[in-house]
Amino acid sequence: MQAKRQNILTSALCLPELAHGLTAREWDTVVREARHAGLLARLGDMLDNAHTLGEVPDGPRAHLQAAQAVARAQHAQVTREVALIAQTLRPLGIAPILLKGAAYLFANLPAARGRVFSDIDILVPKARLPEVEASLMASGWASTHHSAYDQKYYRQWMHELPPMQHIFRDTVLDVHHTILPETARLKPDAAKLFAAACDVEGTRATVRVLAPTDMVLHSMTHLFHNDELSHGLRDLSDIDLLLRHFGVDPAFWPRLVRRAAELDLARPLYYGLRHAQRVFATPAPDGLVADSASNGPGWPLNHWMDTLWSRALRPPHRSASDVLTGPALFMLYLRAHWLRMPPPLLVRHLSIKAWQRSFGDGTTG
């Protein structure tokens, strides 16, 4: 599938060496879109790597460099936080597996460049969750969801504890025990993820990251099962950079396909490859995307999903939206919940959440 330049930001991300030719009005749009998408620092880093940041006009260059400085400060903060989390869990004999942005940072991957964070995600064995949570609470972490129903929702059905926030440092931590809710239609085996995880060089085995194939599949699964897509384009950019990095090894691609089948993640792989190529022209072996189509939906559902994702994977800014963007995001929100829960539980959950939004969190579940 040929990449279609959806908007000026994706054009700049695909071909940063051409960005110096943008007009002042185009730069204004790029900066606004990139800021809303969480990609301003990454664009700055890409322009740096293409040796064209100095050719950007003074105004937008100042925004790009400020975003780069914020990203560097966040990277330093995340590095400190992960060290403290590892120190907290070390007496339990647990080396947490870092997920998403923190994993890219500690593994020194290209996807860490300009990556900004809203939280830190770790993966620990489900059987050890009570110990992990108790140790974290003793170190100043507290749950951010206090209603009885929300606590039950996370602990009984989801793939993670209720999000935690440090009472002094305000950092948000998500503690996962697998990568999809246990009620979800797809059933990746968490034990296989733990078995293949890799130590991080320089950390004395205090933290680990997923194996390369599993890291890519998790990134795709997270994006294409998410109900909140304000950072959808950033997450797709992560996927693009991961595939470009790991895909230099020709043996990576058949391993990725085999691993997706083994983990019951062939459908997220299909969507990840399809839309990374559509938006970023991500290189992949000839025929791989076409072969993966057998794991995608049939026509006309596939056409309908392309229509939805083509809008969801744009910058969340009015310059990149059309009249179908809002309905598309709402349909994907419903789809994410449909994939996450069986129908009776879904109806109950959405009804309770609607009640909470209207009347507060007084429900006892």
Side-chain angles (χ1 to χ4, degrees):
M1 179 185 295
Q2 295 297 314
K4 297 178 181 177
R5 305 292 185 244
Q6 295 179 328
N7 52 57
I8 196 167
L9 174 59
T10 55
S11 297
L13 290 167
C14 288
L15 297 169
E17 65 274 11
L18 301 182
H20 67 276
L22 298 177
T23 66
R25 177 171 292 185
E26 288 171 331
W27 268 118
D28 181 70
T29 300
V30 165
V31 169
R32 291 173 188 273
E33 289 186 353
R35 190 184 306 282
H36 280 77
L39 285 168
L40 193 57
R42 176 164 291 172
L43 178 60
D45 276 18
M46 287 183 167
L47 291 167
D48 253 343
N49 291 337
H51 306 291
T52 59
L53 184 59
E55 301 175 28
V56 176
D58 291 346
R61 186 171 69 248
H63 287 285
L64 291 163
Q65 291 174 331
Q68 288 177 286
V70 170
R72 287 193 294 270
Q74 280 198 340
H75 289 191
Q77 180 188 19
V78 168
T79 300
R80 291 192 297 270
E81 289 291 347
V82 167
L84 291 170
I85 292 166
Q87 181 180 346
T88 297
L89 300 183
R90 188 179 302 129
L92 304 180
I94 294 175
I97 296 175
L98 303 176
L99 300 175
K100 296 166 33 183
Y104 311 152
L105 178 62
F106 271 74
N108 195 28
L109 295 174
R113 296 173 189 159
R115 183 60 152 77
V116 292
F117 298 80
S118 57
D119 54 24
I120 297 171
D121 296 84
I122 63 173
L123 182 70
V124 300
K126 183 179 181 181
R128 308 294 301 277
L129 280 177
E131 300 167 78
V132 168
E133 185 175 21
S135 293
L136 289 169
M137 291 178 68
S139 297
W141 296 90
S143 179
T144 60
H145 288 61
H146 303 295
S147 78
Y149 176 74
D150 285 348
Q151 288 287 324
K152 178 180 178 180
Y153 168 74
Y154 277 98
R155 296 176 188 279
Q156 186 169 335
W157 298 308
M158 289 297 101
H159 55 306
E160 58 184 323
L161 292 174
M164 305 183 79
Q165 187 171 22
H166 200 275
I167 59 176
F168 298 120
R169 301 191 299 271
D170 291 333
T171 312
V172 177
L173 174 65
D174 285 342
V175 182
H176 300 253
H177 57 87
T178 185
I179 61 173
L180 278 177
E182 296 191 328
T183 55
R185 285 163 171 74
L186 302 183
K187 305 291 185 185
D189 185 349
K192 294 179 179 179
L193 300 175
F194 283 99
C198 309
D199 292 338
V200 176
E201 185 177 354
T203 66
R204 299 181 180 179
T206 57
V207 294
R208 296 186 294 163
V209 295
L210 295 173
T213 54
D214 297 354
M215 187 183 292
V216 170
L217 290 170
H218 175 242
S219 186
M220 292 175 171
T221 301
H222 171 74
L223 172 56
F224 291 99
H225 282 74
N226 205 350
D227 63 344
E228 205 287 310
L229 294 167
S230 62
H231 290 125
L233 183 62
R234 183 204 67 184
D235 293 346
L236 189 66
S237 176
D238 289 347
I239 292 168
D240 169 64
L241 293 174
L242 291 173
L243 289 173
R244 290 176 186 272
H245 176 73
F246 294 127
V248 171
D249 177 6
F252 168 78
W253 297 100
R255 287 201 300 267
L256 181 64
V257 173
R258 289 194 301 269
R259 189 63 163 171
E262 183 181 355
L263 292 174
D264 194 24
L265 298 177
R267 179 65 64 89
L269 174 62
Y270 165 73
Y271 282 127
L273 292 173
R274 183 176 182 84
H275 292 287
Q277 282 211 318
R278 178 180 60 81
V279 177
F280 293 111
T282 307
D286 292 342
L288 184 69
V289 176
D291 289 345
S292 73
S294 62
N295 297 307
W299 193 91
L301 180 57
N302 197 34
H303 176 73
W304 175 241
M305 293 305 300
D306 280 349
T307 300
L308 299 181
W309 285 116
S310 68
R311 287 165 174 80
L313 298 175
R314 297 178 186 177
H317 188 265
R318 62 179 181 274
S319 62
S321 301
D322 60 23
V323 295
L324 295 180
T325 299
L329 291 171
F330 180 67
M331 293 296 294
L332 290 171
Y333 171 84
L334 294 179
R335 171 188 176 269
H337 281 83
W338 176 257
L339 296 176
R340 186 178 297 172
M341 305 177 192
L345 179 58
L346 175 59
V347 170
R348 179 175 183 269
H349 173 69
L350 292 179
S351 298
I352 291 175
K353 297 307 289 184
W355 177 276
Q356 287 181 334
R357 284 193 295 270
S358 299
F359 303 107
D361 293 338
T363 178
T364 60

